[in-house]
Amino acid sequence: SKPSAASAPPPPQPRTTAARKLEPEKSRLDFWLRRPDGQEHFIEVKNCHMVYPDGNGYFPDSISKRASRHVHHLAHLVSKGHRATALFV
């Protein structure tokens, strides 16, 4: 038999909220996560365009004020108690 609406479990609640995030007066970061307890985690994805003879890609592989600003912004967010990740691909 089909369960009644009264006996059906509630739909699952999201464990984490995710979105693009613009911190006031700062740069837009790629991803923003917030856990139900309020802990925020900011993620910035960066490209390494060149692989060097030692087999590694280094960041930055060219001068980029924007990329440097993003990495400094992540460090600032960590100093305020947030979590942050720079993902290099």
Side-chain angles (χ1 to χ4, degrees), residues 48-77:
C48 292
H49 298 280
M50 181 188 290
V51 175
Y52 288 83
D54 65 3
N56 294 308
Y58 294 93
F59 179 83
D61 52 10
S62 61
I63 296 172
S64 169
K65 289 182 182 180
R66 181 174 169 264
S68 295
R69 184 178 67 243
H70 288 164
V71 172
H72 287 292
H73 185 195
L74 290 176
H76 172 72
L77 291 166

Side-chain angles (χ1 to χ4, degrees), residues 19-83:
R20 289 184 65 90
K21 177 75 170 181
L22 180 62
E23 183 76 6
E25 301 179 24
K26 299 286 183 180
S27 48
R28 182 185 301 268
L29 297 171
D30 290 318
F31 298 97
W32 167 73
L33 306 171
R34 182 176 58 210
R35 296 187 339 199
D37 66 5
Q39 174 70 49
E40 292 183 292
H41 190 146
F42 297 85
I43 302 170
E44 180 67 14
V45 180
K46 293 292 172 204
N47 250 340
C48 292
H49 298 280
M50 181 188 290
V51 175
Y52 288 83
D54 65 3
N56 294 308
Y58 294 93
F59 179 83
D61 52 10
S62 61
I63 296 172
S64 169
K65 289 182 182 180
R66 181 174 169 264
S68 295
R69 184 178 67 243
H70 288 164
V71 172
H72 287 292
H73 185 195
L74 290 176
H76 172 72
L77 291 166
V78 168
S79 74
K80 291 172 52 178
H82 301 293
R83 299 192 68 191

